[in-house]
Amino acid sequence: MPELAEVEHGRRIAHAIAVGRTIERAHVADDDIVVDGTTPALVRSVLQGAEVTGTGRRGKHLWLELADRPSLLLHFGMTGGFRTRQDEPLRLENSAAEVDRTWPPRFWKLHLLFDDGGELAMTNARRLGRIRLREDVLGTAPVSKLGYDPLLALPSLEDFERRIGRKKTVIKSLLLNQAFAAGVGNWIADEVLYLARLDPRRRVHDLDSAERDRLRLAIAEVVRVAAAVDARKEDFPVEWLFHHRWGKKEGSRTA
């Protein structure tokens, strides 16, 4: 699944392609599962002719801000992502599938064409992603229900300990809870625990203050490094656990 670093990479792609430009045409798939809480026709009507003024992201959710219109809020689901004509798509962590280079790409759910000739497509093969419209992204669900974003706003140790409290859950379950740390998924959680030298089966309330700070700093470090290389797995540090998952071989380049 695309996690924080992969979604941040998608936001950067969208920012470069879309911000400051007008959407001349918007194709929205007739999919009442992916298009959530609205209709493809309404999404098209909002997008066509809209000027994109900015992008945002919290955790695994990202959005395009539109002048005088609702924002376009997107979630990639299990296998989704952004594609452009020029960019090589990211391979997901355990994907052995051959990269699809057709255009528009297979399984597209959203295809935007801009006034300067640029194009941006969102793919979603397994239909677990979502396309939504929001007047207030940060103030309404699902974004309003998310916890802190480790790349954007790392809490202080005091705040981190307050958020943890005396929870009796195991550490990995806490990390996967999007209401705690938005954007952390399976591979990031494993990498964090490996870096922090913490057993994922330990209970949160058993951690001492030094271990909690190690955990906090490891979350920040893994997310920072992964985002810095645009989530390209071959550029992750060679000492990361990631290279030993799913039968991966050593020898990737350092970040």
Side-chain angles (χ1 to χ4, degrees), residues 85-99:
R85 281 187 178 272
Q86 298 79 23
D87 291 329
E88 180 79 5
L90 284 175
R91 286 187 180 275
L92 296 181
E93 57 204 42
N94 58 349
S95 174
E98 185 174 344
V99 172

Side-chain angles (χ1 to χ4, degrees), residues 104-171:
R106 293 176 65 208
F107 308 116
W108 69 268
K109 298 299 177 183
L110 181 70
H111 180 197
L112 305 179
L113 295 90
F114 297 93
D115 57 353
D116 67 342
E119 298 182 47
L120 182 68
M122 173 184 161
T123 61
N124 201 247
R126 296 180 63 180
R127 303 177 73 199
L128 296 172
R130 294 293 181 265
I131 296 171
R132 300 175 169 113
L133 297 174
R134 288 291 185 271
E135 293 284 355
D136 177 10
V137 172
L138 296 176
T140 54
V143 175
S144 64
K145 296 183 179 296
L146 298 175
Y148 77 92
D149 185 296
L151 188 64
L152 301 177
L154 181 70
S156 66
L157 176 58
E158 180 181 12
D159 187 26
F160 189 76
E161 291 196 328
R162 180 188 60 78
R163 291 168 186 265
I164 290 178
R166 301 301 299 168
K167 292 181 174 62
K168 295 183 179 181
T169 186
V170 297
I171 308 173

Side-chain angles (χ1 to χ4, degrees), residues 55-71:
T55 59
R57 182 196 55 76
R58 180 177 289 178
K60 302 175 187 179
H61 296 262
L62 63 86
W63 57 91
L64 303 185
E65 298 165 357
L66 309 175
D68 302 318
R69 305 189 189 195
S71 294

Side-chain angles (χ1 to χ4, degrees), residues 1 3 60 169-190 193 219:
M1 170 185 278
E3 300 183 24
K60 302 175 187 179
T169 186
V170 297
I171 308 173
K172 186 169 180 180
S173 294
L174 176 71
L175 293 179
L176 295 178
N177 183 348
Q178 298 303 291
F180 174 70
V184 175
N186 194 50
W187 79 257
I188 290 180
D190 286 348
L193 293 167
I219 295 170

Side-chain angles (χ1 to χ4, degrees), residues 22-40:
T22 297
I23 302 169
E24 285 195 338
R25 283 182 290 160
H27 302 293
V28 184
D30 187 15
D31 189 324
D32 59 4
I33 293 177
V34 176
V35 180
D36 182 40
T38 182
T39 65

